[in-house]
Every structure is written in C-alpha cells, then in structure tokens.
Amino acid sequence: MTSPGRRAYSGRPVESVTVESVRRGEVTQDDLRIHPETLESQAAVAERHGNPQLAANLRRAAELARLPDRDVMRVYEALRPRRSTADELSALAGWLDEQGCPRNAALVREARDVYVRRGLAR
C-alpha cells in the first residue's frame, strides 16, 4: 500500500503515473493533482526543519487542494488588490470556513484588515 504522502488526489500511487500510462490514456486530471495529505506531510517536514512559514503555507494549500479549481481561482481573484470590498472578503472568509478551510479563512480576514488599512479594498 502506498503511504498517504505518495498518492495523487485520485488515490492513485504517484509511482503509477508514468509517461506510458499517460500515452495509454490511463491518467486523469485528478491523477495529476497533489493530494492534501501530501501537502500536510510536506508541512510537517518544513516545521521539523525550522521553517514555520513554509509549513503554514503548505497547510493552507492542503485546505485549498480539496476545492475545485474554480473555487481556488475565486479566492485568488478576490485577494487581488482593489478587487473586493471588505464585506466581500468577509463573506469569502465565512464561505471558506464552511468549506473546512479555517486557515485560509483567517488569511482572508487578515488580508481584509490590511487592505482596508492601506486603502487596497475596492
């Protein structure tokens, strides 16, 4: 059995995603996506090696890896300066909480506060 840190989002062992399997048409988009557990595993390594900022980033990425691409892009677009109002960012943070992404929700709330303070909110 493949360890959790060595499988694609689809559950497929990463070792089985080869050029040949792609040529045979056996690879799906989810076979190419990183699994949230892989990101969590990388975060633990970063933390053990004294890099808490990288660990925090990887943990936020693990939360987002569970979302469809269109939702990740929605978050990305909303966080661009002058793209969202403070209320829109608050609503986005609430939605992220509902999706099981509390670290990202906290980041959006922090960004909202900074954007308001620096005049970067729409």
Side-chain angles (χ1 to χ4, degrees), residues 40-76:
E40 286 288 347
S41 198
Q42 292 172 342
V45 170
E47 206 162 54
R48 281 195 307 272
H49 288 90
N51 197 334
Q53 295 88 356
L54 178 58
N57 286 338
L58 290 165
R59 288 194 171 102
R60 282 191 298 272
E63 289 180 354
L64 292 176
R66 293 176 175 89
L67 299 178
D69 290 345
R70 71 183 185 298
D71 290 337
V72 174
M73 289 307 298
R74 176 181 162 215
V75 173
Y76 170 79

Side-chain angles (χ1 to χ4, degrees), residues 16-117:
S16 72
V17 180
T18 64
V19 172
E20 286 306 314
S21 64
V22 170
R23 286 185 181 146
R24 289 191 301 267
E26 300 169 355
V27 176
T28 68
Q29 186 174 355
D30 281 347
D31 293 329
L32 301 176
R33 289 179 63 190
I34 194 163
H35 197 282
E37 290 176 7
T38 301
L39 290 161
E40 286 288 347
S41 198
Q42 292 172 342
V45 170
E47 206 162 54
R48 281 195 307 272
H49 288 90
N51 197 334
Q53 295 88 356
L54 178 58
N57 286 338
L58 290 165
R59 288 194 171 102
R60 282 191 298 272
E63 289 180 354
L64 292 176
R66 293 176 175 89
L67 299 178
D69 290 345
R70 71 183 185 298
D71 290 337
V72 174
M73 289 307 298
R74 176 181 162 215
V75 173
Y76 170 79
E77 286 295 325
L79 285 171
R80 295 180 68 193
R82 296 182 182 85
R83 293 291 174 107
S84 302
T85 65
D87 288 343
E88 289 169 340
L89 290 171
S90 292
L92 178 61
W95 178 82
L96 284 164
D97 274 330
E98 291 169 4
Q99 302 308 306
C101 299
R103 290 179 175 99
N104 283 280
L107 178 73
V108 169
R109 287 183 183 101
E110 183 179 341
R112 175 203 59 209
D113 295 346
V114 170
Y115 285 11
V116 167
R117 189 171 60 248

